[in-house]
Amino acid sequence: MTSGPAEHPGIPILFEDNHLLVVVKPPGIPSQEDDSGDPDMLTLLKEDLKIRYNKPGNVFLGLVHRLDRPVGGAMLFAKTSKAASRLSEAVRSREFGKTYMAVVHGSPSSSSGTLRHWMRKDNKRNVSTTFDKPVADAKEAVLDYAVITSSSGLSLVAIKLHTGRSHQIRAQMAAIGCPLYGDAKYGAPSKRCDSHSSVLLWSTSVAVPHPVTKERLIFRSVPDSKQTGWSQWSEQDLYRASSRFDG
């Protein structure tokens, strides 16, 4: 197991062995190559592995799950094709656990609860639409949420995903009148200057059965309380949000 900073600045390693690589994705970096041509996580980490292990030729690294470009936090990759296959199956069977924290405008009518919608993705506009009932071509989306604290018209919310739909948290929170801070795409009333890091959403944990040993592993990340957007919340509040759905 290896732990420490990756060669590329700003991508700390949470865990590494022969099968898995778990890092902290910085906000503003795409998960994989897109039309922008900007550096992406998959390419940067492949280059890092090639350098650190002096590997000739192409380096394999499997993208197990994605985080939207503006989102930071824990992100897991597979270092072998066998691990990628087994982790993909864990995602399909919902053995892959994911929790997040978000800053939203307003506060949900209930301090905690479950949101269930049906979502349809418009790939041309890169927007997901939510429906209260099943509709054609829409997939069920389910999450649990809990409000940790509220201040100045904003709330810090912990979230546990049960499904992994595109823009799920962003669209579902907006559907109940609580869009994520800075998320103009889903109706937030304000927008920060940097469009690539404008959404206050953080991947606080990923939990998976190890692809070889089958041991249940959990990897955690908490945003820096001094970081823009998160600075109005105390370290204690951020920790409470990150651990709300433990167990």
Side-chain angles (χ1 to χ4, degrees):
M1 182 183 76
T2 300
S3 177
E7 290 295 324
H8 185 270
I11 306 183
I13 294 175
L14 294 176
F15 175 89
E16 183 179 4
D17 65 8
N18 291 333
H19 314 281
L20 301 176
L21 176 63
V22 189
V23 302
V24 178
K25 175 188 175 297
I29 300 180
S31 291
Q32 62 187 128
E33 186 177 1
D34 61 15
D35 293 339
S36 71
D38 294 338
D40 63 277
M41 292 294 294
L42 199 56
T43 301
L44 290 170
L45 292 171
K46 283 183 178 181
E47 291 174 353
D48 174 52
L49 289 171
K50 187 178 182 69
I51 293 170
R52 285 196 289 125
Y53 295 106
N54 193 27
K55 286 180 173 284
N58 294 327
V59 173
F60 178 88
L61 193 65
L63 188 69
V64 178
H65 66 120
R66 294 171 178 81
L67 295 178
D68 291 349
R69 181 167 184 157
V71 181
M75 188 172 184
L76 181 147
F77 296 83
K79 291 178 67 177
T80 67
S81 57
K82 180 180 288 187
S85 176
R86 291 178 178 177
L87 291 169
S88 293
E89 178 56 35
V91 172
R92 286 191 293 271
S93 62
R94 298 189 181 181
E95 292 182 280
F96 189 94
K98 293 180 284 186
T99 67
Y100 294 77
M101 70 172 70
V103 176
V104 303
H105 289 274
S107 185
S109 56
S110 299
S111 61
S112 63
T114 298
L115 301 183
R116 186 182 304 273
H117 294 93
W118 282 260
M119 295 181 60
R120 180 192 291 155
K121 176 73 179 294
D122 182 335
N123 290 314
K124 289 184 178 180
R125 297 190 301 131
N126 193 29
V127 173
S128 292
T129 303
T130 60
F131 303 90
D132 292 332
K133 298 179 180 179
V135 299
D137 300 323
K139 297 179 179 180
E140 188 179 34
V142 183
L143 63 77
D144 297 332
Y145 74 87
V147 177
I148 303 302
T149 186
S150 298
S151 176
S152 303
L154 300 172
S155 297
L156 179 65
V157 181
I159 295 164
K160 179 177 181 178
L161 282 183
H162 294 285
T163 54
R165 309 306 177 202
S166 178
H167 293 188
Q168 180 176 338
I169 295 171
R170 298 165 66 180
Q172 285 196 276
M173 296 307 295
I176 63 168
C178 298
L180 272 60
Y181 177 80
D183 197 358
K185 184 185 289 284
Y186 288 97
S190 62
K191 186 175 182 180
R192 285 157 58 193
C193 296
D194 182 356
S195 62
H196 292 324
S197 58
S198 60
V199 179
L200 288 183
L201 178 61
W202 195 268
S203 170
T204 49
S205 73
V206 291
V208 291
H210 191 279
V212 175
T213 68
K214 309 303 181 185
E215 178 188 0
R216 184 74 174 173
L217 303 175
I218 183 166
F219 308 103
R220 305 177 187 278
S221 174
V222 180
D224 187 343
S225 61
K226 299 181 179 64
Q227 189 174 334
T228 302
W230 302 103
S231 57
Q232 78 177 84
W233 314 103
S234 69
E235 290 186 6
Q236 182 179 15
D237 287 337
L238 295 176
Y239 175 78
R240 287 171 57 213
S242 70
S243 59
R244 173 62 175 78
F245 289 108
D246 280 359

